[in-house]
């Protein structure tokens, strides 16, 4: 079957359909958009039906709905579960968008809209690939299921419970996810590792009120000074985290690991120029790709307290605050890491200050052996369509639900992304390169046939 001709013939129709979906502001984090999230789920359900999927159902949760569909008419063949999400990030700052975020616009071979690459555009490829096979051949080469949620951008709070409760419904031989990216233009990548995540807040208090720095300066503890001292204690001069036991469960990189990371390492000097930096920073003894893909981190995401308005105010602040996230690898347990950081903080609080720690989100790291047969099928599909074999990468980001799928369903997870790293996901002017829209459709069809 000439799928290239089929997709070219239907290209305008497909893009117009995708634009309809992208026009729905399904922002899961903002309560005022709850009706829009539901409308996006309903649009998805109807589109799955039109594509030929069966048993389409919108499953309500305590938050936003999960959409399920299947087509199970390939006896003796594997079952592939496609996962994605239809919710999107908030759009702030709105003034930095060149065109309105929910008025999709094509410019220079790119489709601009919130959700274009993360993740409506990518999950849409799977729907249209399945539809194309059914249109052309009247049957699928595999059994297929779709599970598409509306809460990924807020940490998927209800999906794990749904997976546990619906294991029989979602049972599959492999899970297929397109929510990652190529290495760069024309260079596909298959993600074989995602870092885990945990987060916390630290609050430091000293006196019962802000104090005049002339009357009290030098004689009472300053909450900002205490916070700076406390946060400085979390790393040594070589970028290594000093929390006792932090690196337990972190695998050492093998020679093969170093070689694989070398394949995905870009020009670090160019990276510095692009970012306007004199130097990169991180744990001594590792490249940028290794630091961001295979090593754990402890990062300060926000530190605030005291006077922050225009001009000067001679005040000794009574409180200071910090937000911290960690990216985790290997067998690091998020709860264990949070407990160790909390213990470190309480044992390093400067004299005259009191600290409070509040723990938040937790997600496990994910890894899969690149030699897993279905990943090799994915590599063959990329190579057939893109003309080059993909690199197996370990990404620095976290998609905690990937590990949950792998563990609960006991199935390998194939991360076949079609975005590009510079497509501004989560930022103004998010877009999807339409070259990868076209090649992605062909790659998914080829992959399903190989499976």
């Amino acid at each position: 079957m000439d799928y290239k001709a089929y997709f070219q013939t239907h290209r305008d129709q497909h893009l117009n359909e995708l634009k309809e979906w992208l026009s729905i502001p399904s922002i899961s984090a903002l309560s005022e958009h709850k009706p829009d999230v539901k409308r996006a789920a309903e649009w998805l359900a109807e589109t799955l039906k039109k594509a030929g999927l069966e048993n389409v159902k919108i499953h309500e949760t305590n938050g936003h709905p999960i959409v399920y569909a299947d087509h199970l008419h390939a006896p003796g063949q594997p079952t592939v579960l496609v996962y994605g999400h239809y919710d999107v990030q908030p759009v702030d700052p709105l003034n930095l968008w060149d065109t309105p975020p929910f008025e999709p616009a094509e410019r220079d071979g790119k489709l601009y809209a919130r959700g274009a690459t993360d993740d409506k555009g990518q999950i849409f490829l799977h729907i249209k690939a399945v539809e194309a096979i059914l249109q052309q051949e009247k049957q699928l080469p595999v059994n297929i299921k779709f599970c598409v949620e509306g809460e990924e951008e807020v940490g998927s709070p209800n999906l794990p419970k749904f997976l546990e409760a619906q294991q029989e419904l979602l049972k599959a031989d492999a899970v297929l996810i397109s929510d990652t990216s190529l290495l760069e233009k024309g260079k596909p990548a298959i993600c074989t590792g995602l870092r885990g995540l945990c987060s916390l807040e630290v609050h430091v208090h000293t006196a019962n009120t802000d104090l005049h720095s002339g009357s009290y300066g030098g004689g009472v503890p300053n909450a900002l000074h205490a916070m700076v001292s406390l946060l400085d204690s979390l790393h040594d001069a070589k970028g290594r985290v000093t929390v006792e036991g932090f690196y337990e469960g972190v695998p050492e990189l093998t020679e093969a690991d170093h070689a694989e990371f070398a394949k995905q390492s870009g020009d670090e000097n160019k990276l510095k120029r692009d970012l306007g930096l004199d130097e990169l920073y991180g744990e001594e003894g590792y490249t940028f790709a290794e630091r961001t893909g295979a090593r754990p981190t402890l990062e300060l995401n926000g530190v605030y307290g005291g006077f922050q308005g225009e001009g000067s105010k001679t005040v000794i602040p009574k409180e200071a605050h910090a937000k911290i996230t960690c990216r985790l690898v290997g067998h690091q347990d998020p709860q264990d890491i949070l407990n160790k950081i909390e213990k470190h903080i309480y044992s390093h609080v400067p004299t005259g200050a009191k600290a409070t720690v509040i723990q938040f989100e937790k997600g496990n790291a994910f890894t899969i052996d690149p030699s897993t047969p279905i990943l090799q099928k994915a590599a063959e599909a990329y190579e057939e369509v893109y003309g080059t074999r993909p690199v197996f990468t370990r990404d620095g980001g976290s998609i905690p639900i990937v590990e949950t799928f792998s563990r609960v369903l006991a199935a390998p997870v194939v991360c076949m992304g079609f975005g590009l790293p510079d497509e501004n996901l989560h930022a103004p002017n998010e877009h999807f390169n339409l070259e990868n829209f076209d090649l992605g459709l062909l790659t998914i069809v080829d992959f399903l046939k190989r499976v």
Side-chain angles (χ1 to χ4, degrees):
M1 296 294 176
D2 189 349
Y3 281 94
K4 189 172 183 179
Y6 173 89
F7 287 125
Q8 191 59 42
T9 300
H10 292 82
R11 191 174 193 264
D12 288 344
Q13 173 198 334
H14 291 166
L15 285 175
N16 287 333
E17 290 178 25
L18 176 56
K19 289 175 184 177
E20 278 184 22
W21 202 18
L22 292 170
S23 299
I24 303 173
S26 51
I27 304 172
S28 55
L30 303 179
S31 58
E32 63 263 35
H33 285 285
K34 188 174 180 68
D36 297 313
V37 179
K38 184 175 182 180
R39 188 155 56 95
E42 292 168 345
W43 187 97
L44 171 60
E46 187 60 31
T47 300
L48 288 164
K49 290 176 186 175
K50 290 178 181 176
L53 277 297
E54 301 170 345
N55 300 310
V56 179
K57 184 176 180 180
I58 297 176
H59 292 264
E60 298 296 337
T61 73
N62 291 331
H64 300 301
I66 295 168
V67 181
Y68 173 86
D70 63 36
H71 194 280
L72 309 175
H73 299 288
Q77 297 302 321
T79 297
V80 176
L81 173 66
V82 178
Y83 162 79
H85 65 93
Y86 63 85
D87 64 319
V88 300
Q89 281 277 323
V91 297
D92 310 81
L94 189 59
N95 65 296
L96 296 183
W97 287 79
D98 294 332
T99 50
F102 297 109
E103 295 179 18
E106 289 183 56
R107 297 194 301 276
D108 303 319
K110 302 172 184 177
L111 178 59
Y112 286 81
R114 175 58 90 224
T117 189
D118 183 23
D119 180 44
K120 287 179 179 175
Q122 296 204 55
I123 191 65
F124 185 79
L125 296 178
H126 292 275
I127 300 170
K128 290 301 156 182
V130 168
E131 180 183 76
I133 298 173
L134 289 172
Q135 289 281 334
Q136 297 262 85
E137 304 186 40
K138 309 305 177 188
Q139 63 182 28
L140 297 178
V142 295
N143 300 294
I144 201 148
K145 299 177 179 180
F146 279 81
C147 176
V148 189
E149 68 161 322
E151 296 184 320
E152 193 274 344
E153 300 293 6
V154 290
S156 302
N158 289 290
L159 187 56
K161 289 180 283 188
F162 182 77
L163 293 182
E164 292 282 0
Q166 302 288 346
Q167 289 185 52
E168 190 59 35
L169 177 71
L170 301 174
K171 184 179 179 181
D173 296 292
V175 180
L176 178 58
I177 299 176
S178 293
D179 197 12
T180 52
S181 66
L182 281 69
L183 195 62
E184 58 184 72
K185 179 180 169 64
K187 293 186 177 180
I190 297 174
C191 175
T192 61
L194 291 159
R195 292 194 286 189
L197 177 73
C198 65
S199 66
L200 65 151
E201 286 184 2
V202 181
H203 305 282
V204 168
H205 294 83
T206 50
N208 58 9
T209 184
D210 288 353
L211 297 167
H212 189 290
S213 67
S215 302
Y216 293 91
V220 297
N222 182 313
L224 282 174
H225 292 183
M227 179 64 84
V228 169
S229 173
L230 186 55
L231 298 179
D232 186 56
S233 75
L234 294 169
H235 294 85
D236 65 18
K238 296 182 178 180
R240 190 172 173 86
V241 177
T242 55
V243 174
E244 185 177 353
F246 183 82
Y247 290 94
E248 291 175 6
V250 176
E252 289 300 320
L253 294 182
T254 65
E255 288 303 315
D257 291 330
H258 287 297
E260 198 62 39
F261 274 109
K263 294 178 185 177
Q264 67 185 81
S265 293
D267 183 339
E268 291 194 0
N269 289 321
K270 180 179 183 301
L271 178 63
K272 286 189 285 187
R273 291 195 300 270
D274 290 345
L275 297 178
L277 294 171
D278 295 325
E279 292 294 338
L280 298 177
Y281 170 83
E283 193 181 356
E284 190 175 73
Y286 299 94
T287 65
F288 175 82
E290 291 167 349
R291 289 169 181 166
T292 57
R295 300 298 294 171
T297 67
L298 188 156
E299 295 285 357
L300 308 182
N301 308 120
V303 180
Y304 52 100
F307 177 67
Q308 299 175 54
E310 184 178 357
S312 175
K313 182 180 182 184
T314 53
V315 65
I316 298 174
K318 68 168 186 171
E319 61 186 66
H321 312 272
K323 295 178 182 288
I324 299 173
T325 55
C326 297
R327 301 289 178 167
L328 310 176
V329 300
H331 297 292
Q332 284 181 300
D333 177 75
Q335 185 61 63
D336 178 59
I337 293 298
L338 286 171
N339 293 342
K340 286 173 176 173
I341 296 172
E342 183 172 318
K343 180 180 178 181
H344 176 99
I345 288 170
Y346 286 139
S347 64
H348 286 75
V349 178
T351 302
K354 301 180 182 67
T356 303
V357 175
I358 303 174
Q359 301 182 6
F360 289 112
E361 59 195 322
K362 300 182 285 286
N364 293 319
F366 163 77
T367 57
I368 186 172
D369 188 339
S371 67
T372 303
I374 197 163
L375 264 64
Q376 293 300 314
K377 296 290 185 187
E380 292 164 9
Y382 272 124
E383 187 171 16
E384 175 65 28
V385 176
Y386 279 82
T388 184
R389 195 162 180 85
V391 174
F392 290 100
T393 63
R394 279 190 259 177
D395 293 358
S398 303
I399 312 177
I401 202 64
V402 174
E403 186 274 339
T404 307
F405 269 111
S406 175
R407 173 171 42 82
V408 174
L409 300 183
V413 179
V414 186
C415 291
M416 293 182 71
F418 298 99
L420 284 174
D422 62 355
E423 289 180 334
N424 287 23
L425 61 165
H426 293 205
N429 298 313
E430 179 181 347
H431 57 277
F432 192 19
N433 281 263
L434 294 180
E435 174 188 42
N436 292 317
F437 179 89
D438 299 329
L439 296 177
L441 288 164
L442 295 171
T443 304
I444 293 167
V445 169
D446 188 283
F447 172 70
L448 293 177
K449 286 177 170 289
R450 289 177 188 273
V451 172

